[in-house]
Amino acid sequence: QVQLVESGGGLVQDGGSLRLSCAASGRSFSSYGMGWFRRAPGKDREWVASISWGGGMQDYADSVKGRFFISRDNAKNTLYLQMNSLKPEDTAVYYCAIGREARISRTDAEYNYWGQGTRVTVSS
């Protein structure tokens, strides 16, 4: 049974940092792209960042580019999201996901396993 568990969310002040982790179990995901998405209160889920199977390619939404950094440790089956210079508009539930292929993707339809999410709240 495939399981993704996010951790690292919490309450942080404007300008602060958090590091999210996503631990995958049930199988190895080293051959697949992975991504982070978020859903802010009252809004649709949006893509945040993606990383290729080996970690050599990353892609970021314009809203987080230069502040967020995605990485992975395939030996640990774990995905990370380092979030710096956080803003109140980053407040959301953050979800990790496993892609259907090795390449990176911005489209949630191209991800077939999802975690339950971890809440991030940025206070002004």
Side-chain angles (χ1 to χ4, degrees):
Q1 181 179 351
V2 174
Q3 188 174 19
L4 298 177
V5 179
E6 300 95 338
S7 62
L11 174 64
V12 64
Q13 290 187 332
D14 190 353
S17 298
L18 284 174
R19 188 194 196 203
L20 305 183
S21 298
C22 171
S25 61
R27 56 177 286 189
S28 172
F29 297 103
S30 59
S31 298
Y32 300 93
M34 300 181 73
W36 287 98
F37 292 75
R38 67 186 182 186
R39 187 191 301 272
K43 296 186 177 180
D44 292 334
R45 183 171 62 192
E46 66 173 352
W47 167 75
V48 175
S50 300
I51 189 167
S52 59
W53 71 273
M57 294 183 63
Q58 305 93 41
D59 191 17
Y60 297 93
D62 288 343
S63 59
V64 306
K65 195 172 295 182
R67 300 187 298 122
F68 290 13
F69 300 94
I70 188 171
S71 62
R72 64 190 296 169
D73 185 337
N74 286 340
K76 296 182 179 180
N77 244 11
T78 302
L79 178 71
Y80 303 99
L81 185 68
Q82 177 66 43
M83 305 187 297
N84 301 325
S85 302
L86 282 160
K87 306 174 181 180
E89 51 263 45
D90 295 318
T91 294
V93 177
Y94 285 72
Y95 302 89
C96 64
I98 305 294
R100 300 178 188 275
E101 300 179 6
R103 63 185 178 89
I104 57 177
S105 173
R106 299 183 173 190
T107 307
D108 56 4
E110 298 193 15
Y111 293 82
N112 55 356
Y113 296 107
W114 295 83
Q116 294 299 306
T118 184
R119 186 175 301 275
V120 172
T121 304
V122 184
S123 63
S124 57

